[in-house]
Amino acid sequence: MPGNNVPRRSTERAWLITGPLASLAILITTFLAVTETIKPRDLLVAGLLVLVMVVAGVPTLSFVVRRQAVVVTLTEIPLVLGLYWLSPVLVVLIATIAAVVTQAHRRYLPPKFWFNVARDAAGVSVAGVVVVAAPPLDGVGPATWGVLFLAVSANTLISLASVVGVISLLQGWQGLRGTTAMAVQVFLTTALNVAVGLLILIALVTTLWSTLLLVAITVAGVMLYRAYSRFLRQHRTLGDMYELTRAMTSAGHEGALADVLLDRIRTLMQAEYATLWLPAQRRHPEVLLTARLDDRGLLDVAPTPVVIRERAFEAGHNVTLGRLLGGDAELRRAIAGRQVKDVIVVPLRSGKVVIGTLEVVNRLSDVGHFTKADVPVLETVAAHAAVALENSRLVDRLRHDAYHDTLTGLPNRRRITGALDESVKIGAPDEVVALLLFDVDGLRQVNESLGHAAGDKVLTEVANRLRASAPSSALVGRAGGDEFLVTLRLESAEAAVELAAQLRDQIRDEMVFDALTLDVDTAVGVAVHPDHGSDAATLLLRVDLAATAAKSVPGSVQLFNPALESRSLRRLGLAGDLRRALDQNELEVYFQPKVTLRDRRLVGVECLARWEHPAHGTVAPEDFVAVAEHTGQLSRLTEVVLREGLRRSRDWALADQPLPIAVNLSARTLIDRHFPDRVQELLTEYKVPAQRLTLEITESGVLDGTDRPIPTLQRLRDLGVRLSVDDFGTGDSSLAHLRRLPVHEVKVDRSFVQGMATDPGDLAIVNAVVTLSQQFGLTVVAEGVESELTLELLQDIGCEIGQGFLFSRPLPYERLAAWFGAQVEPETVANGELPRLRVVP
């Protein structure tokens, strides 16, 4: 947008200066006509002097001051001769006639035409008054030099004062400052012209033969002047190009390239407008910026029609329009009536590709026009500008890529960290800075089953939904992998949890990719400043812990609490201890009986790993199992439990008490294609029939929405091993999914079994699971049987097997043997039947 616009005043206001100048010229000329006489013999010299003055007035030295051109000519030379030889009134008439001819030759508009004529007439008339007021000129000595110098200087002073006045009137103080700056050069030029004129005068007075030498010197001087002007113009252009290149190089890194580029190009080309146009390209929007003489800053509009720059862009060549440039007639009609007199449009190239255009419009001054010599200059500028623009965009792209995710275009973890650091520095008593971490569930399964392209589509869709659903004040980013971060200011931690739940619901809607429909869920962690940390690093650490905790309950939202951190630190410390415990056989296997609910017969035991840490005491199984998964020790842990279970099963069989065993497997174990072979080796080593081994896999592990676990499950079933789905009901799967899996058993999660006696909903769920499982030919095991009432309800709905504290807690082997002796009726063992419990404590 433009800033500090200078009002554009009509040139008609120049009459306010032209009128007084004309009046001054008429008054002085009248005075001179009355006091001076014109000699007839002077008329021939006057006619010759008119011709000389016209010739001297055509070559010009121009100083462009904003929109106006101050023209310095060689007319002072014939003026010196005229004031010496002719009557002052005749000199005024000669100068006025010459001014009319030269101004008509330059085709100035009427306001400037009459201003220049009046200025010349007034200046020469004042010079005439100086000559009349001085002592009569006698010879060509120093006294004559002084009078003529004062007279011509008076002419220059009047001329310069009138120019300053009209430019200040039209353009304000900015024009006054520019004109004053070149006043010294004008007076120096005048002094030089007067000196040359006096030399010519002395030569002519001495001998008329000097005319021949003067003509030769004049011709040589004109040629030298033209050569020097051309050299000076080229030198100035090269200097300006060098400064422009330096300015573009430094400004490209400061983000001010367009400002520096356009302003300097406009000055270099002496143009009223300079415009840069870059069409939209990938993430870069369209750029249209214009530097105008009267404005500080840039405009977002251009005076030329769009069709002109589009023609240059599409054709890939220059478009030039103007009096001296010619151009396409159709395009010239397009600029008619737009206050556009000439245009040069040059394409910007990056290699062979056109990336935009650079254009200049209207050479400054009323009669100035662009020429064909200006086109190569702008082409050179455009070549440098294109390189600078490409470098600037490259730097911008690298800076953008450093802080944004390539796949989703969202800010990355570095950008989020920086924004979070800035946010926590500005505290507000009634606000918190909330950080939400969304962890996409099941992305690994999508990548492995459908390919990474499908996984990328899921991530992109999650990013789009988060970006669309999050409040406008939120910063949404991708932390990496399957994690997304959202940070914003809210009124409380509770509001952050509520927002997290709302955003999670938005993400959960079905995602349709071609003919495929996916259900995507997320676990969400929440942390807030200042409650959970005073810096970005701490908040990111703690929100990650909260998200990890949320994964244990699929699709949940977890607010950070200090217990999560202490548990995480504890797990970190357990990694080395677990390896040592496995090496030294410090882990112990406990056994929990499985009992038929109708006749309370013992049908097997579940093998459960237990770890008594020398410093931390009893370590929860979920803690050391998680440590084993993350440290690559899961296979060793699983083998320890399998070996101990199979060894005890063999011992029981040798004691005529053959009992099946059940061992829990992690979902990761099903990825190991060598695991079935290892199970076969252990069964052979301990000589335990495969049907006495049941492998229990959690619902989320066996029903992950893909076919990935099926090959491993099928190989295990082919070995004769029984397969069980543990913790059924805690995930999002249905019993119908079990029909395609080679499993034998379903274990109803303890949370539903324990709630049967008080919650009709839990009772209905267990009833449905039992009924449908039996129809599918699956055995149903109820976990968490802890009361006689629960036992009766399970019996009523037809559940077959149960395990829980009502029968026994998990026991070490020695105590399990004692439990056998106390609880099992000996006669059932002696008869070869399944051991039946004597009492239920």
Side-chain angles (χ1 to χ4, degrees):
M1 295 299 294
N4 299 327
N5 292 351
V6 178
R8 302 187 62 176
R9 300 165 182 170
S10 172
T11 55
E12 297 296 330
R13 299 183 67 176
W15 290 107
L16 296 175
I17 303 295
T18 303
L21 288 174
S23 300
L24 177 64
I26 292 171
L27 288 175
I28 294 177
T29 303
T30 303
F31 167 76
L32 293 175
V34 172
T35 58
E36 298 288 330
T37 58
I38 300 176
K39 300 175 183 179
R41 64 181 178 84
D42 293 341
L43 295 178
L44 179 61
V45 177
L48 182 61
L49 203 58
V50 168
L51 179 61
V52 172
M53 194 167 286
V54 169
V55 172
V58 171
T60 61
L61 181 62
S62 298
F63 297 93
V64 177
V65 181
R66 299 180 67 81
R67 295 180 183 279
Q68 306 301 323
V70 178
V71 178
V72 179
T73 66
L74 302 177
T75 54
E76 289 88 354
I77 296 175
L79 181 60
V80 169
L81 302 177
L83 291 174
Y84 179 80
W85 271 317
L86 301 176
S87 169
V89 67
L90 188 57
V91 174
V92 174
L93 295 176
I94 291 171
T96 304
I97 293 171
V100 170
V101 174
T102 54
Q103 304 308 314
H105 171 74
R106 293 175 185 145
R107 299 185 183 181
Y108 283 142
L109 297 175
K112 192 162 189 176
F113 176 91
W114 290 113
F115 166 77
N116 287 336
V117 172
R119 181 200 63 186
D120 289 350
V124 175
S125 64
V126 171
V129 170
V130 172
V131 172
V132 170
L137 300 177
D138 185 16
V140 290
T144 299
W145 300 354
V147 172
L148 292 178
F149 181 79
L150 289 176
V152 176
S153 296
N155 170 67
T156 301
L157 182 62
I158 293 297
S159 178
L160 187 60
S162 60
V163 170
V164 170
V166 75
I167 289 180
S168 301
L169 182 66
L170 298 180
Q171 301 182 11
W173 65 270
Q174 294 94 337
L176 175 62
R177 182 176 59 184
T179 309
T180 305
M182 58 83 181
V184 175
Q185 300 180 33
V186 173
F187 274 108
L188 288 175
T189 304
T190 299
L192 178 62
N193 287 342
V194 172
V196 173
L198 289 173
L199 289 174
I200 294 173
L201 177 62
I202 293 172
L204 292 175
V205 169
T206 302
T207 174
L208 290 177
W209 286 106
S210 62
T211 305
L212 298 177
L213 296 176
L214 292 174
V215 170
I217 291 174
T218 302
V219 172
V222 169
M223 295 176 65
L224 287 174
Y225 172 77
R226 289 184 176 180
Y228 176 73
S229 297
R230 187 161 50 248
F231 169 78
L232 189 63
R233 186 166 54 251
Q234 292 173 349
H235 176 74
R236 187 186 65 182
T237 301
L238 287 175
D240 291 344
M241 288 287 298
Y242 174 72
E243 291 298 327
L244 175 61
T245 303
R246 286 186 57 189
M248 286 190 298
T249 301
S250 60
H253 300 295
E254 300 170 1
L257 179 60
D259 298 78
V260 172
L261 174 69
L262 293 177
D263 186 63
R264 289 180 178 260
I265 287 176
R266 188 200 60 73
T267 302
L268 173 66
M269 301 298 296
Q270 294 186 6
E272 182 179 0
Y273 298 91
T275 298
L276 170 69
W277 177 58
L278 302 172
Q281 181 183 13
R282 294 189 294 273
R283 69 179 185 83
H284 296 285
E286 181 184 22
V287 173
L288 178 64
L289 296 172
T290 299
R292 189 174 70 177
L293 175 66
D294 288 338
D295 296 283
R296 299 175 186 173
L298 300 179
L299 305 167
D300 55 3
V301 294
T304 53
V306 177
V307 63
I308 294 179
R309 66 182 66 93
E310 287 185 345
R311 173 77 64 85
F313 180 81
E314 294 170 0
H317 58 68
N318 303 334
V319 173
T320 57
L321 304 170
R323 176 184 169 189
L324 303 179
L325 297 172
D328 185 271
E330 180 183 353
L331 296 181
R332 297 189 67 175
R333 286 194 296 270
I335 63 174
R338 287 178 172 263
Q339 297 185 335
V340 174
K341 60 182 180 181
D342 41 19
V343 180
I344 302 177
V345 184
V346 176
L348 296 170
R349 298 180 182 276
S350 176
K352 296 183 179 181
V353 179
V354 178
I355 62 172
T357 62
L358 189 64
E359 65 186 71
V360 289
V361 178
N362 292 355
R363 169 61 62 83
L364 292 177
S365 84
D366 294 337
V367 296
H369 292 277
F370 292 124
T371 65
K372 293 186 181 298
D374 293 313
V375 178
V377 176
L378 189 59
E379 286 179 331
T380 304
V381 173
H384 288 287
V387 173
L389 287 168
E390 280 295 281
N391 290 340
S392 176
R393 283 195 168 184
L394 176 61
V395 171
D396 178 64
R397 184 161 59 250
L398 292 175
R399 186 181 294 114
H400 179 275
D401 291 345
Y403 289 97
H404 289 78
D405 172 54
T406 305
L407 176 63
T408 63
L410 293 176
N412 59 16
R413 192 180 190 91
R414 179 185 298 178
R415 174 73 179 88
I416 291 286
T417 302
L420 201 55
D421 271 329
E422 292 298 321
S423 296
V424 299
K425 292 177 182 177
I426 306 173
D430 56 345
E431 287 183 336
V432 299
V433 178
L435 183 62
L436 285 56
L437 176 61
F438 294 80
D439 191 302
V440 181
D441 290 337
L443 183 66
R444 182 175 180 179
Q445 290 86 340
V446 173
N447 286 333
E448 293 179 354
S449 302
L450 305 176
H452 285 277
D456 289 346
K457 289 182 179 180
V458 170
L459 291 173
T460 303
E461 181 62 21
V462 170
N464 292 337
R465 292 185 181 185
L466 268 179
R467 189 160 33 198
S469 304
S472 58
S473 60
L475 178 63
V476 180
R478 184 185 177 197
D482 54 1
E483 296 180 341
F484 294 86
L485 287 167
V486 177
T487 180
L488 74 166
R489 291 184 178 274
L490 292 170
E491 57 272 18
S492 65
E494 291 73 19
V497 172
E498 182 179 353
L499 175 63
Q502 293 173 358
L503 294 178
R504 174 179 162 268
D505 289 340
Q506 294 293 328
I507 297 174
R508 288 186 66 189
D509 289 343
E510 289 183 344
M511 296 184 184
V512 179
F513 304 107
D514 299 327
L516 183 65
T517 300
L518 298 178
D519 291 322
V520 177
D521 202 354
T522 56
V524 190
V526 179
V528 300
H529 165 79
D531 298 352
H532 304 143
S534 58
D535 58 82
T538 302
L539 289 171
L540 285 166
L541 172 64
R542 291 176 173 174
V543 79
D544 192 60
L545 292 174
T548 301
K551 293 179 186 178
S552 61
V553 181
S556 71
V557 176
Q558 175 68 54
L559 180 66
F560 173 80
N561 63 76
L564 297 176
E565 188 167 39
S566 61
R567 182 176 181 183
S568 175
L569 292 173
R570 185 185 181 195
R571 284 186 176 181
L572 183 63
L574 291 176
D577 296 341
L578 178 61
R579 182 178 292 105
R580 185 169 53 254
L582 290 171
D583 291 339
Q584 299 177 3
N585 297 318
E586 293 179 1
L587 267 70
E588 191 173 0
V589 176
Y590 280 42
F591 304 90
Q592 184 174 30
K594 297 168 68 174
V595 179
T596 59
L597 300 181
R598 285 293 177 190
D599 51 12
R600 300 180 185 178
R601 292 184 181 273
L602 184 63
V603 293
V605 292
E606 181 177 0
C607 303
L608 302 166
R610 294 294 184 264
W611 183 18
E612 193 70 23
H613 193 280
H616 299 295
T618 302
V619 181
E622 57 267 24
D623 285 342
F624 66 77
V625 169
V627 169
E629 287 182 339
H630 287 89
T631 56
Q633 301 179 78
L634 181 62
S635 59
R636 290 188 65 193
L637 177 61
T638 302
E639 184 168 337
V640 166
V641 179
L642 267 174
R643 281 186 174 278
E644 181 64 12
L646 292 173
R647 185 167 72 89
R648 297 303 182 187
S649 179
R650 180 194 61 187
D651 294 345
W652 291 324
L654 294 176
D656 295 326
Q657 294 182 351
L659 280 179
I661 62 167
V663 176
N664 291 298
L665 294 184
S666 169
R668 292 194 178 187
T669 305
L670 297 180
I671 304 174
D672 184 1
R673 57 190 180 89
H674 300 296
F675 180 70
D677 297 332
R678 188 58 181 153
V679 171
Q680 177 65 66
E681 292 172 1
L682 292 174
L683 289 172
T684 303
E685 179 181 347
Y686 288 100
K687 298 180 175 58
V688 175
Q691 61 270 21
R692 289 188 191 168
L693 173 62
T694 299
L695 297 177
E696 298 183 0
I697 309 100
T698 59
E699 177 189 3
S700 59
V702 72
L703 296 172
D704 61 355
T706 71
D707 293 335
R708 184 181 54 168
I710 292 180
T712 301
L713 294 175
Q714 190 64 57
R715 289 180 62 193
L716 290 171
R717 178 160 181 158
D718 291 344
L719 293 176
V721 174
R722 290 177 54 81
L723 300 174
S724 175
V725 179
D726 198 9
D727 300 333
F728 190 83
T730 57
D732 295 331
S733 304
S734 66
L735 282 168
H737 294 158
L738 297 176
R739 299 182 63 183
R740 61 188 182 90
L741 297 177
V743 296
H744 307 83
E745 180 181 279
V746 173
K747 297 186 73 174
V748 184
D749 187 68
R750 67 180 67 251
S751 60
F752 299 111
V753 175
Q754 291 174 349
M756 290 174 58
T758 56
D759 189 339
D762 287 344
L763 177 61
I765 290 173
V766 176
N767 188 19
V769 171
V770 171
T771 302
L772 290 176
S773 297
Q774 290 174 346
Q775 291 180 359
F776 294 154
L778 301 176
T779 302
V780 181
V781 178
E783 296 182 290
V785 181
E786 297 182 358
S787 68
E788 289 288 350
L789 179 57
T790 301
L791 176 63
E792 293 176 3
L793 292 173
L794 289 169
Q795 290 174 340
D796 291 341
I797 63 177
C799 185
E800 303 161 332
I801 300 172
Q803 66 181 94
F805 292 173
L806 179 63
F807 307 114
S808 174
R809 295 176 178 273
L811 300 171
Y813 177 75
E814 294 77 11
R815 291 183 58 190
L816 180 67
W819 183 86
F820 280 165
Q823 304 298 328
V824 175
E825 295 181 354
E827 61 273 16
T828 59
V829 177
N831 295 334
E833 303 175 8
L834 288 174
R836 186 170 59 203
L837 303 187
R838 182 183 293 119
V839 295
V840 178

